[in-house]
Amino acid sequence: MAADNPLRVVVLISGSGSNLQALIDGWQQQQLPIELAAVISNRPGVLGLERAENAGIPAIVLDHTQFPDRLGFDTALMEVIDSYQAGLVVLAGFMRILTTEFTRHYHGRMLNIHPSLLPKYQGLHTHQRALEAGDVEHGVTVHFVTAELDGGPAAIQARVPINPGDDAASLAQRVQQQEHIIYPLAVKWFAEGRLRMRDGCAFLDNEPLPASGHLIGGAAPNVP
Ligand code: GRF
């Protein structure tokens, strides 16, 4: 993507927006060939909106409670996103189940980050579930979004060892450090035209990625 024609990215959030901040930082440090065109939150008053405003990015609230049903909200959301001519939609802690109309509309140009080594632990409470299962490692996955919740092809996965004495909070904190590395990297690769989804698979530099996506980390688990 030429520097004078950067990829227009719209970020969807519901909360603190630390992943959004990682993207803002990369963008401001000119490490990402993108334009952060808008940030949209389905919840008013969240910290992520403040982060966007501080960076001079249009910060929009589209409150899902003001819509009669899921499709009504998603349709309005598509209209707002498309008004910013987004080439990529980035879900960064966007806590909504999406309609198939929505996922179809952004097919191949929407990414999500999920705090587990997908396909393990789709859905919520992933850190606690990994601990309860006695796993020795956990992690985070950036994936393309398809109609299946947390189910689209993986782009990048970072592994995090589970240490003795970890609780959900300590584990979540170490996973988040990795989130802030791999999400900007995935967005960069997409903006550079290196990362794509075709025929239901993720490709990097025209090579199909493994089911895990591109792997980062994987330090030996620290077990006695
Ligand atoms: C992250 O843990 C991400 O993996 C999950 O939601 C959380 C969002 O955190 N999808 P933040 O709002 O980016 O701080």
Side-chain angles (χ1 to χ4, degrees), residues 26-117:
W27 174 57
Q28 288 180 335
Q29 290 157 17
Q30 298 181 350
Q31 288 162 357
L32 300 176
I34 63 170
E35 173 75 28
L36 283 172
V39 170
I40 306 171
S41 173
N42 67 308
R43 292 200 184 121
V46 296
L47 177 59
L49 288 163
E50 229 175 273
R51 295 182 195 268
E53 279 162 14
N54 290 341
I57 303 164
I60 297 142
V61 175
L62 197 65
D63 184 346
H64 66 276
T65 65
Q66 304 300 308
F67 291 83
D69 55 24
R70 204 173 279 288
L71 184 57
F73 173 73
D74 278 9
T75 303
L77 184 55
M78 283 188 263
E79 274 170 26
V80 179
I81 295 170
D82 292 349
S83 75
Y84 285 94
Q85 290 136 357
L88 177 68
V89 177
V90 170
L91 308 183
F94 186 59
M95 303 302 283
R96 295 280 306 165
I97 291 174
L98 304 167
T99 58
T100 50
E101 286 81 356
F102 192 89
T103 55
R104 205 179 301 132
H105 187 65
Y106 298 107
H107 184 81
R109 54 190 182 111
M110 179 156 60
L111 295 173
N112 182 41
I113 191 159
H114 182 75
S116 79
L117 298 174

Coordinates of all heavy atoms in Angstrom, one line a residue, residues 26-117:
G26 N 1.5 2.4 17.0 CA 2.2 2.0 15.8 C 2.0 3.0 14.7 O 2.9 3.3 13.9
W27 N 0.8 3.5 14.6 CA 0.4 4.4 13.5 C 1.1 5.8 13.7 O 1.7 6.3 12.8 CB -1.1 4.6 13.6 CG -1.7 5.6 12.7 CD1 -1.6 5.7 11.4 CD2 -2.6 6.7 13.1 NE1 -2.4 6.8 10.9 CE2 -3.0 7.4 12.0 CE3 -3.0 7.2 14.4 CZ2 -3.8 8.5 12.0 CZ3 -3.9 8.3 14.4 CH2 -4.2 8.9 13.3
Q28 N 1.1 6.2 15.0 CA 1.8 7.5 15.3 C 3.3 7.4 15.1 O 4.0 8.4 14.7 CB 1.5 8.0 16.7 CG 0.0 8.5 16.8 CD -0.4 8.9 18.2 OE1 0.2 8.5 19.2 NE2 -1.4 9.8 18.3
Q29 N 3.9 6.2 15.3 CA 5.3 6.1 15.1 C 5.6 5.7 13.7 O 6.7 5.3 13.4 CB 5.8 5.0 16.1 CG 5.8 5.4 17.5 CD 5.8 4.3 18.5 OE1 6.1 3.1 18.2 NE2 5.4 4.5 19.8
Q30 N 4.6 5.8 12.8 CA 4.8 5.5 11.4 C 5.3 4.1 11.1 O 6.0 3.9 10.1 CB 5.6 6.6 10.8 CG 4.9 8.0 10.9 CD 5.7 9.1 10.3 OE1 6.8 9.0 9.9 NE2 5.0 10.3 10.3
Q31 N 4.9 3.2 11.9 CA 5.3 1.8 11.7 C 4.2 1.1 10.9 O 4.4 -0.1 10.5 CB 5.5 1.1 13.0 CG 6.8 1.6 13.7 CD 6.9 1.2 15.1 OE1 6.0 0.6 15.7 NE2 8.0 1.5 15.7
L32 N 3.0 1.7 10.8 CA 1.9 1.0 10.2 C 1.4 1.9 9.0 O 1.1 3.1 9.2 CB 0.7 0.9 11.1 CG 0.9 0.0 12.4 CD1 -0.3 0.1 13.3 CD2 1.3 -1.4 12.0
P33 N 1.4 1.3 7.8 CA 1.0 2.1 6.6 C -0.6 2.2 6.5 O -1.2 1.7 5.5 CB 1.6 1.3 5.4 CG 1.6 -0.1 5.9 CD 1.8 -0.1 7.4
I34 N -1.2 2.8 7.5 CA -2.6 2.8 7.6 C -3.1 4.2 8.0 O -2.3 5.1 8.4 CB -3.2 1.9 8.7 CG1 -2.7 2.2 10.1 CG2 -2.8 0.4 8.3 CD1 -3.4 1.5 11.2
E35 N -4.4 4.5 7.8 CA -5.0 5.7 8.3 C -6.1 5.2 9.3 O -6.9 4.4 8.9 CB -5.7 6.4 7.1 CG -6.5 7.6 7.5 CD -5.7 8.8 8.0 OE1 -4.6 8.9 7.5 OE2 -6.2 9.6 8.8
L36 N -6.0 5.5 10.5 CA -7.0 5.2 11.5 C -8.2 6.1 11.3 O -8.2 7.2 11.7 CB -6.5 5.2 12.9 CG -5.6 4.0 13.3 CD1 -5.0 4.2 14.7 CD2 -6.4 2.7 13.3
A37 N -9.2 5.6 10.5 CA -10.2 6.5 10.0 C -11.3 6.8 11.0 O -11.8 7.9 11.0 CB -10.9 5.8 8.7
A38 N -11.6 5.8 11.9 CA -12.6 6.0 12.9 C -12.5 4.9 13.9 O -12.1 3.8 13.7 CB -14.0 6.1 12.3
V39 N -13.0 5.3 15.1 CA -13.2 4.3 16.2 C -14.7 4.3 16.6 O -15.2 5.4 16.8 CB -12.3 4.6 17.4 CG1 -12.6 3.7 18.6 CG2 -10.8 4.4 17.0
I40 N -15.3 3.1 16.6 CA -16.7 3.1 17.0 C -16.9 2.2 18.2 O -16.3 1.0 18.2 CB -17.5 2.5 15.8 CG1 -17.2 3.3 14.5 CG2 -19.0 2.5 16.1 CD1 -17.8 2.7 13.2
S41 N -17.6 2.6 19.2 CA -17.9 1.8 20.4 C -19.4 1.6 20.5 O -20.2 2.5 20.2 CB -17.4 2.6 21.6 OG -17.9 1.9 22.8
N42 N -19.8 0.4 20.9 CA -21.2 0.2 21.1 C -21.6 0.5 22.5 O -22.8 0.4 22.9 CB -21.6 -1.3 20.9 CG -20.9 -2.2 21.9 OD1 -19.7 -2.2 22.0 ND2 -21.7 -3.1 22.5
R43 N -20.6 1.0 23.3 CA -20.9 1.4 24.7 C -20.4 2.8 24.9 O -19.2 3.1 24.6 CB -20.2 0.5 25.7 CG -20.7 -0.9 25.7 CD -20.3 -1.6 27.0 NE -20.8 -3.0 27.0 CZ -20.0 -4.0 27.1 NH1 -18.7 -3.9 27.3 NH2 -20.5 -5.2 27.0
P44 N -21.2 3.7 25.4 CA -20.8 5.1 25.7 C -19.8 5.1 26.9 O -19.8 4.3 27.7 CB -22.1 5.8 26.0 CG -23.2 4.8 26.2 CD -22.6 3.4 25.8
G45 N -19.0 6.1 26.9 CA -18.2 6.5 28.0 C -17.0 5.5 28.3 O -16.4 5.6 29.4
V46 N -16.6 4.7 27.4 CA -15.5 3.8 27.6 C -14.1 4.5 27.3 O -14.1 5.4 26.5 CB -15.6 2.5 26.8 CG1 -16.9 1.7 27.2 CG2 -15.6 2.8 25.3
L47 N -13.1 3.9 28.0 CA -11.8 4.5 27.9 C -11.3 4.5 26.4 O -10.6 5.5 26.0 CB -10.8 3.7 28.8 CG -9.3 4.1 28.8 CD1 -9.1 5.6 29.2 CD2 -8.5 3.2 29.7
G48 N -11.6 3.5 25.7 CA -11.1 3.5 24.3 C -11.6 4.7 23.5 O -10.8 5.2 22.6
L49 N -12.7 5.3 23.8 CA -13.2 6.5 23.0 C -12.3 7.6 23.4 O -11.9 8.4 22.5 CB -14.6 6.8 23.4 CG -15.7 5.8 22.9 CD1 -17.0 6.0 23.6 CD2 -15.9 6.1 21.4
E50 N -11.9 7.7 24.6 CA -10.9 8.8 25.0 C -9.6 8.6 24.3 O -9.0 9.6 23.9 CB -10.7 8.6 26.5 CG -10.9 9.9 27.3 CD -10.7 9.5 28.8 OE1 -11.8 9.2 29.4 OE2 -9.6 9.6 29.3
R51 N -9.1 7.4 24.2 CA -7.9 7.1 23.5 C -7.9 7.6 22.1 O -7.0 8.2 21.6 CB -7.5 5.6 23.5 CG -7.3 5.0 24.9 CD -6.9 3.6 24.7 NE -7.0 2.7 25.9 CZ -6.0 2.5 26.7 NH1 -4.8 3.0 26.5 NH2 -6.1 1.6 27.7
A52 N -9.1 7.4 21.4 CA -9.2 7.8 20.0 C -9.2 9.3 20.0 O -8.5 9.9 19.1 CB -10.5 7.2 19.5
E53 N -10.0 10.0 20.8 CA -10.1 11.4 20.8 C -8.7 12.0 21.1 O -8.3 13.0 20.4 CB -11.1 11.9 21.9 CG -12.5 11.8 21.4 CD -13.5 11.9 22.6 OE1 -13.1 12.3 23.7 OE2 -14.7 11.6 22.3
N54 N -8.0 11.5 22.0 CA -6.6 12.0 22.3 C -5.7 11.9 21.1 O -4.8 12.7 20.9 CB -6.0 11.3 23.5 CG -6.7 11.6 24.8 OD1 -7.3 12.6 24.9 ND2 -6.5 10.7 25.8
A55 N -6.0 10.9 20.2 CA -5.1 10.7 19.0 C -5.7 11.5 17.8 O -5.2 11.4 16.7 CB -5.0 9.3 18.7
G56 N -6.8 12.2 18.0 CA -7.4 13.0 16.9 C -8.2 12.1 15.9 O -8.4 12.5 14.8
I57 N -8.6 10.9 16.4 CA -9.4 10.0 15.5 C -10.9 10.2 15.8 O -11.3 10.3 17.0 CB -9.0 8.6 15.8 CG1 -7.5 8.4 15.6 CG2 -9.8 7.6 14.9 CD1 -7.0 7.1 16.2
P58 N -11.7 10.3 14.8 CA -13.2 10.4 15.1 C -13.6 9.2 16.0 O -13.3 8.1 15.7 CB -13.8 10.3 13.7 CG -12.8 10.7 12.7 CD -11.5 10.4 13.3
A59 N -14.3 9.6 17.1 CA -14.7 8.6 18.1 C -16.2 8.6 18.1 O -16.8 9.6 18.5 CB -14.1 8.9 19.4
I60 N -16.8 7.5 17.7 CA -18.3 7.5 17.5 C -18.9 6.4 18.5 O -18.4 5.3 18.6 CB -18.6 7.1 16.0 CG1 -18.0 8.1 15.1 CG2 -20.0 6.9 15.8 CD1 -17.4 7.6 13.9
V61 N -20.0 6.8 19.0 CA -20.8 5.9 19.9 C -22.0 5.4 19.1 O -22.8 6.3 18.6 CB -21.2 6.5 21.2 CG1 -22.1 5.5 22.0 CG2 -20.0 6.9 22.0
L62 N -22.2 4.1 18.9 CA -23.4 3.6 18.4 C -23.9 2.6 19.4 O -23.4 1.5 19.5 CB -23.1 2.9 17.0 CG -24.3 2.7 16.1 CD1 -24.9 4.0 15.7 CD2 -23.9 1.9 14.9
D63 N -24.8 3.1 20.2 CA -25.3 2.3 21.4 C -26.3 1.2 21.0 O -27.4 1.5 20.5 CB -25.9 3.3 22.4 CG -26.3 2.6 23.7 OD1 -26.4 1.4 23.7 OD2 -26.6 3.4 24.6
H64 N -25.8 0.0 21.1 CA -26.7 -1.2 20.6 C -28.0 -1.2 21.4 O -29.0 -1.8 20.8 CB -25.9 -2.5 20.8 CG -25.7 -2.9 22.2 ND1 -24.6 -2.5 22.9 CD2 -26.3 -3.7 23.0 CE1 -24.6 -3.0 24.1 NE2 -25.7 -3.7 24.2
T65 N -28.1 -0.7 22.6 CA -29.3 -0.7 23.3 C -30.4 0.2 22.7 O -31.6 0.0 23.1 CB -29.2 -0.3 24.8 OG1 -28.8 1.0 24.9 CG2 -28.1 -1.2 25.5
Q66 N -30.0 1.0 21.8 CA -31.0 1.9 21.1 C -31.6 1.3 19.9 O -32.4 1.9 19.2 CB -30.3 3.2 20.7 CG -29.6 4.0 21.9 CD -30.6 4.3 23.0 OE1 -31.7 4.9 22.7 NE2 -30.3 3.9 24.2
F67 N -31.3 0.0 19.6 CA -31.8 -0.7 18.4 C -32.7 -1.8 18.8 O -32.4 -2.5 19.8 CB -30.6 -1.1 17.6 CG -29.9 0.0 16.9 CD1 -28.9 0.6 17.7 CD2 -30.2 0.4 15.7 CE1 -28.2 1.7 17.1 CE2 -29.5 1.5 15.1 CZ -28.5 2.1 15.9
P68 N -33.8 -2.0 18.0 CA -34.7 -3.1 18.4 C -34.2 -4.5 18.3 O -34.6 -5.4 19.1 CB -35.9 -2.9 17.5 CG -35.3 -2.1 16.3 CD -34.2 -1.3 16.8
D69 N -33.3 -4.7 17.4 CA -32.7 -6.1 17.3 C -31.3 -6.0 16.7 O -30.8 -5.0 16.4 CB -33.6 -6.9 16.4 CG -33.9 -6.3 15.0 OD1 -33.0 -5.5 14.6 OD2 -34.9 -6.6 14.4
R70 N -30.7 -7.2 16.7 CA -29.3 -7.4 16.3 C -29.1 -6.9 14.9 O -28.1 -6.2 14.6 CB -28.9 -8.8 16.4 CG -27.5 -9.1 16.6 CD -27.2 -10.5 16.9 NE -27.4 -10.9 18.3 CZ -26.6 -10.5 19.3 NH1 -25.5 -9.8 19.1 NH2 -26.9 -10.9 20.6
L71 N -30.0 -7.2 14.0 CA -29.7 -6.8 12.6 C -29.9 -5.3 12.4 O -29.2 -4.7 11.6 CB -30.7 -7.6 11.7 CG -30.5 -7.3 10.2 CD1 -29.1 -7.7 9.7 CD2 -31.5 -8.2 9.3
G72 N -30.8 -4.7 13.2 CA -31.0 -3.3 13.1 C -29.7 -2.6 13.5 O -29.2 -1.6 12.8
F73 N -29.1 -3.1 14.6 CA -27.8 -2.5 15.0 C -26.7 -2.7 14.0 O -26.0 -1.8 13.6 CB -27.4 -3.1 16.3 CG -26.0 -2.6 16.8 CD1 -25.8 -1.3 17.2 CD2 -25.0 -3.5 16.7 CE1 -24.5 -0.9 17.6 CE2 -23.7 -3.1 17.1 CZ -23.5 -1.8 17.6
D74 N -26.6 -3.9 13.5 CA -25.5 -4.3 12.6 C -25.7 -3.5 11.3 O -24.7 -3.0 10.7 CB -25.5 -5.8 12.3 CG -24.7 -6.6 13.3 OD1 -24.4 -6.0 14.4 OD2 -24.5 -7.8 13.1
T75 N -26.9 -3.2 10.8 CA -27.1 -2.5 9.6 C -26.7 -1.0 9.8 O -26.0 -0.5 8.9 CB -28.6 -2.6 9.2 OG1 -29.0 -3.9 9.1 CG2 -28.9 -1.8 7.9
A76 N -27.0 -0.5 10.9 CA -26.6 0.9 11.2 C -25.1 1.0 11.3 O -24.4 1.9 10.8 CB -27.2 1.4 12.5
L77 N -24.5 0.0 11.9 CA -23.0 -0.1 12.1 C -22.3 -0.2 10.7 O -21.3 0.5 10.5 CB -22.7 -1.3 13.0 CG -21.2 -1.5 13.4 CD1 -20.6 -0.2 14.0 CD2 -21.1 -2.7 14.3
M78 N -22.9 -1.0 9.8 CA -22.3 -1.1 8.5 C -22.3 0.3 7.8 O -21.4 0.6 7.1 CB -23.0 -2.1 7.6 CG -22.7 -3.6 8.0 SD -23.4 -4.7 6.8 CE -24.9 -5.2 7.7
E79 N -23.4 1.0 8.0 CA -23.5 2.3 7.3 C -22.5 3.3 7.8 O -21.8 4.0 7.1 CB -24.9 2.9 7.6 CG -25.9 2.4 6.6 CD -27.4 2.8 6.9 OE1 -27.5 3.8 7.7 OE2 -28.3 2.1 6.5
V80 N -22.2 3.2 9.1 CA -21.2 4.2 9.7 C -19.8 3.7 9.2 O -19.0 4.6 8.7 CB -21.3 4.2 11.2 CG1 -20.2 5.1 11.8 CG2 -22.6 4.6 11.7
I81 N -19.5 2.4 9.3 CA -18.2 2.0 8.9 C -18.0 2.3 7.4 O -16.9 2.9 7.0 CB -18.1 0.4 9.1 CG1 -18.1 0.1 10.5 CG2 -16.8 -0.1 8.4 CD1 -18.3 -1.4 10.8
D82 N -19.0 2.1 6.6 CA -18.8 2.3 5.1 C -18.7 3.8 4.8 O -18.0 4.1 3.8 CB -19.9 1.6 4.4 CG -19.8 0.1 4.4 OD1 -18.8 -0.4 4.9 OD2 -20.8 -0.6 4.0
S83 N -19.2 4.6 5.7 CA -19.1 6.1 5.4 C -17.7 6.5 5.6 O -17.3 7.6 5.1 CB -20.1 6.9 6.3 OG -19.5 6.9 7.6
Y84 N -16.9 5.7 6.3 CA -15.4 6.0 6.4 C -14.6 5.2 5.4 O -13.4 5.2 5.5 CB -15.0 5.7 7.8 CG -15.4 6.8 8.8 CD1 -16.6 6.6 9.5 CD2 -14.7 7.9 9.0 CE1 -17.1 7.5 10.4 CE2 -15.2 8.9 9.8 CZ -16.4 8.7 10.5 OH -16.8 9.7 11.4
Q85 N -15.2 4.6 4.5 CA -14.5 3.8 3.4 C -13.4 2.9 3.9 O -12.3 3.0 3.5 CB -13.9 4.8 2.4 CG -15.0 5.5 1.6 CD -14.7 7.0 1.4 OE1 -13.8 7.5 1.9 NE2 -15.6 7.7 0.7
A86 N -13.8 2.1 4.9 CA -12.9 1.2 5.5 C -12.4 0.1 4.6 O -13.2 -0.6 4.0 CB -13.5 0.6 6.8
G87 N -11.1 -0.1 4.5 CA -10.5 -1.2 3.7 C -10.3 -2.4 4.7 O -10.2 -3.5 4.2
L88 N -10.3 -2.1 6.0 CA -10.1 -3.1 7.0 C -10.9 -2.7 8.2 O -10.9 -1.6 8.7 CB -8.7 -3.3 7.3 CG -8.3 -4.3 8.4 CD1 -8.6 -5.7 8.0 CD2 -6.9 -4.2 8.9
V89 N -11.7 -3.7 8.8 CA -12.4 -3.5 10.0 C -11.6 -4.3 11.1 O -11.4 -5.5 10.9 CB -13.8 -3.9 9.9 CG1 -14.5 -3.8 11.3 CG2 -14.6 -3.1 8.9
V90 N -11.3 -3.7 12.2 CA -10.5 -4.3 13.3 C -11.4 -4.4 14.5 O -11.8 -3.4 15.0 CB -9.2 -3.5 13.5 CG1 -8.5 -4.1 14.8 CG2 -8.3 -3.6 12.3
L91 N -11.7 -5.6 14.9 CA -12.5 -5.8 16.2 C -11.5 -5.9 17.3 O -10.6 -6.8 17.4 CB -13.3 -7.1 16.1 CG -14.2 -7.3 14.9 CD1 -15.0 -8.6 15.0 CD2 -15.1 -6.1 14.7
A92 N -11.5 -4.9 18.2 CA -10.5 -4.9 19.3 C -11.3 -4.8 20.6 O -11.6 -3.7 21.2 CB -9.6 -3.6 19.2
G93 N -11.7 -6.0 21.1 CA -12.5 -6.1 22.3 C -13.9 -5.6 22.1 O -14.5 -5.0 22.9
F94 N -14.4 -5.9 20.9 CA -15.8 -5.6 20.5 C -16.7 -6.7 20.9 O -16.7 -7.8 20.3 CB -15.9 -5.3 19.0 CG -17.2 -4.8 18.5 CD1 -17.7 -3.6 19.0 CD2 -18.0 -5.5 17.6 CE1 -18.9 -3.1 18.6 CE2 -19.2 -5.0 17.1 CZ -19.7 -3.8 17.7
M95 N -17.5 -6.5 22.0 CA -18.2 -7.6 22.7 C -19.6 -7.7 22.1 O -20.6 -7.6 22.8 CB -18.2 -7.3 24.2 CG -16.9 -7.1 24.8 SD -15.8 -8.6 24.5 CE -16.5 -9.7 25.7
R96 N -19.7 -8.1 20.9 CA -21.0 -8.3 20.2 C -20.9 -9.5 19.3 O -19.9 -9.8 18.7 CB -21.3 -7.1 19.3 CG -21.5 -5.8 20.0 CD -22.9 -5.6 20.6 NE -23.9 -5.9 19.6 CZ -25.2 -6.1 20.0 NH1 -25.5 -6.1 21.3 NH2 -26.2 -6.3 19.1
I97 N -22.0 -10.3 19.3 CA -22.1 -11.4 18.4 C -22.6 -10.7 17.1 O -23.6 -9.9 17.1 CB -23.1 -12.4 18.9 CG1 -22.5 -13.1 20.1 CG2 -23.5 -13.4 17.8 CD1 -23.4 -14.1 20.8
L98 N -22.0 -11.1 16.0 CA -22.3 -10.4 14.7 C -23.2 -11.2 13.9 O -23.2 -12.5 13.9 CB -21.0 -10.2 13.9 CG -19.9 -9.5 14.7 CD1 -18.5 -9.6 14.0 CD2 -20.3 -8.0 14.9
T99 N -24.1 -10.5 13.1 CA -25.0 -11.2 12.2 C -24.2 -11.7 11.0 O -23.1 -11.2 10.6 CB -26.1 -10.3 11.7 OG1 -25.5 -9.2 11.1 CG2 -27.0 -9.8 12.8
T100 N -24.8 -12.7 10.3 CA -24.1 -13.2 9.1 C -24.1 -12.1 8.0 O -23.2 -12.0 7.2 CB -24.8 -14.5 8.5 OG1 -26.2 -14.2 8.4 CG2 -24.5 -15.7 9.4
E101 N -25.1 -11.2 8.0 CA -25.1 -10.1 7.1 C -23.9 -9.3 7.3 O -23.2 -8.8 6.3 CB -26.4 -9.2 7.3 CG -27.7 -9.8 6.8 CD -28.3 -10.8 7.7 OE1 -27.7 -11.1 8.8 OE2 -29.4 -11.4 7.4
F102 N -23.5 -9.1 8.5 CA -22.4 -8.2 8.8 C -21.1 -8.9 8.4 O -20.2 -8.4 7.8 CB -22.4 -7.9 10.3 CG -21.4 -6.8 10.7 CD1 -21.7 -5.5 10.7 CD2 -20.1 -7.2 11.2 CE1 -20.8 -4.5 11.1 CE2 -19.2 -6.2 11.5 CZ -19.6 -4.9 11.5
T103 N -20.9 -10.2 8.9 CA -19.7 -10.9 8.6 C -19.5 -11.1 7.1 O -18.4 -11.0 6.5 CB -19.6 -12.3 9.3 OG1 -20.7 -13.0 8.9 CG2 -19.5 -12.1 10.8
R104 N -20.6 -11.3 6.3 CA -20.5 -11.5 4.9 C -20.0 -10.2 4.2 O -19.2 -10.2 3.3 CB -21.9 -11.9 4.3 CG -21.8 -12.7 3.0 CD -23.1 -13.1 2.5 NE -23.9 -13.9 3.4 CZ -25.1 -13.8 3.7 NH1 -25.9 -12.8 3.2 NH2 -25.8 -14.6 4.5
H105 N -20.6 -9.1 4.7 CA -20.2 -7.8 4.1 C -18.7 -7.4 4.2 O -18.2 -6.8 3.3 CB -21.1 -6.7 4.8 CG -21.0 -5.3 4.2 ND1 -21.5 -5.1 3.0 CD2 -20.4 -4.2 4.7 CE1 -21.2 -3.8 2.7 NE2 -20.6 -3.2 3.7
Y106 N -18.1 -7.9 5.3 CA -16.7 -7.6 5.5 C -15.8 -8.8 5.3 O -14.7 -8.9 5.8 CB -16.5 -6.9 6.9 CG -17.2 -5.6 7.0 CD1 -18.3 -5.5 7.8 CD2 -16.8 -4.5 6.3 CE1 -19.1 -4.3 7.9 CE2 -17.5 -3.3 6.3 CZ -18.6 -3.2 7.1 OH -19.3 -2.1 7.2
H107 N -16.3 -9.7 4.5 CA -15.6 -11.0 4.3 C -14.2 -10.7 3.8 O -14.0 -10.0 2.8 CB -16.4 -11.8 3.3 CG -15.8 -13.2 3.0 ND1 -16.0 -14.2 3.8 CD2 -15.0 -13.6 2.0 CE1 -15.4 -15.3 3.3 NE2 -14.7 -14.9 2.3
G108 N -13.2 -11.3 4.5 CA -11.8 -11.1 4.0 C -11.2 -9.8 4.4 O -10.0 -9.6 4.0
R109 N -11.9 -8.9 5.0 CA -11.4 -7.6 5.4 C -11.8 -7.2 6.8 O -12.0 -6.1 7.1 CB -11.7 -6.5 4.4 CG -13.2 -6.4 4.1 CD -13.4 -5.5 2.9 NE -14.8 -5.3 2.6 CZ -15.5 -4.2 2.8 NH1 -14.9 -3.1 3.2 NH2 -16.8 -4.2 2.5
M110 N -11.9 -8.2 7.7 CA -12.2 -8.0 9.1 C -11.4 -8.9 9.9 O -11.4 -10.2 9.7 CB -13.7 -8.1 9.3 CG -14.1 -7.9 10.8 SD -15.8 -7.4 11.0 CE -16.7 -8.8 10.3
L111 N -10.7 -8.4 10.9 CA -9.9 -9.2 11.8 C -10.4 -9.1 13.3 O -11.0 -8.0 13.6 CB -8.4 -8.6 11.8 CG -7.6 -8.8 10.5 CD1 -6.3 -8.1 10.7 CD2 -7.4 -10.3 10.2
N112 N -10.2 -10.1 14.0 CA -10.5 -10.1 15.5 C -9.3 -10.6 16.3 O -8.5 -11.3 15.7 CB -11.7 -11.0 15.7 CG -12.2 -11.0 17.2 OD1 -12.2 -10.0 17.8 ND2 -12.5 -12.2 17.7
I113 N -9.3 -10.3 17.5 CA -8.3 -10.8 18.4 C -9.0 -11.6 19.5 O -9.9 -11.0 20.1 CB -7.3 -9.8 18.9 CG1 -6.1 -10.5 19.6 CG2 -7.9 -8.8 19.8 CD1 -4.9 -9.6 19.7
H114 N -8.5 -12.8 19.8 CA -9.2 -13.6 20.8 C -8.2 -14.2 21.7 O -7.2 -14.8 21.3 CB -10.0 -14.8 20.1 CG -10.7 -15.6 21.1 ND1 -11.9 -15.2 21.7 CD2 -10.5 -16.8 21.6 CE1 -12.3 -16.1 22.5 NE2 -11.5 -17.1 22.5
P115 N -8.4 -14.0 23.0 CA -7.4 -14.4 24.0 C -7.3 -15.9 24.3 O -7.6 -16.4 25.4 CB -7.7 -13.6 25.2 CG -9.2 -13.4 25.2 CD -9.5 -13.4 23.7
S116 N -7.0 -16.7 23.3 CA -6.8 -18.2 23.5 C -6.0 -18.7 22.3 O -6.0 -18.0 21.3 CB -8.1 -19.0 23.7 OG -8.7 -19.2 22.4
L117 N -5.5 -19.9 22.4 CA -4.9 -20.6 21.3 C -6.0 -21.3 20.5 O -6.3 -22.5 20.7 CB -3.9 -21.6 21.8 CG -2.7 -21.0 22.6 CD1 -1.8 -22.1 23.1 CD2 -1.9 -20.0 21.7

